[in-house]
Amino acid sequence: MSKLEALFDAVIVKPLSVEEQSYGNIIVPDMGKDKNEKATVIAVGPGKPTITGDFIPTILQEGDVVVLPTMGFTKLEHDGEEYYIGPENQILCKIKNEQ
């Protein structure tokens, strides 16, 4: 199993499963609205330098549960799993005490 490594201020997350409603044997996905997705952080880059040479470290850590924007993160398929990757500053929020 290969491991993904985030670079600069990138964050790689794995979406948490979305509950779908079922009626008998028919699964009805909720396709009516764009919803913000919850995801678990699996890799975080170290940070990035500024124009002045200062270094801004990333804040998130592996295992954090976050809320992603409806657009802006890139979908990545790796080893049969689905991930999203994007810059840390586009994460909407971190959910505390949810595991």
Side-chain angles (χ1 to χ4, degrees):
M1 179 174 165
S2 64
K3 181 171 169 66
L4 298 171
E5 181 180 352
L7 304 175
F8 301 103
D9 66 337
V11 177
I12 302 172
V13 297
K14 182 173 174 109
L16 297 174
S17 60
V18 177
E19 294 179 21
E20 295 178 324
Q21 193 169 16
S22 63
Y23 296 100
N25 292 334
I26 301 170
I27 296 174
V28 182
D30 185 9
M31 296 170 32
K33 304 175 206 157
D34 281 340
K35 291 186 177 180
N36 297 95
E37 216 171 332
K38 290 182 185 176
T40 303
V41 175
I42 63 151
V44 181
K48 68 177 185 177
T50 64
I51 291 175
T52 60
D54 296 326
F55 186 77
I56 301 173
T58 52
I59 297 169
L60 294 171
Q61 298 176 357
E62 290 181 18
D64 286 345
V65 177
V66 296
V67 177
L68 302 177
T70 54
M71 298 177 73
F73 269 56
T74 301
K75 185 176 180 179
L76 170 69
E77 300 229 3
H78 180 72
D79 287 342
E81 298 283 334
E82 183 178 300
Y83 301 95
Y84 290 102
I85 184 168
E88 183 185 49
N89 67 355
Q90 287 188 10
I91 300 271
L92 299 177
C93 70
K94 175 177 147 180
I95 300 173
K96 294 183 180 184
N97 300 324
E98 179 170 310
Q99 296 286 337

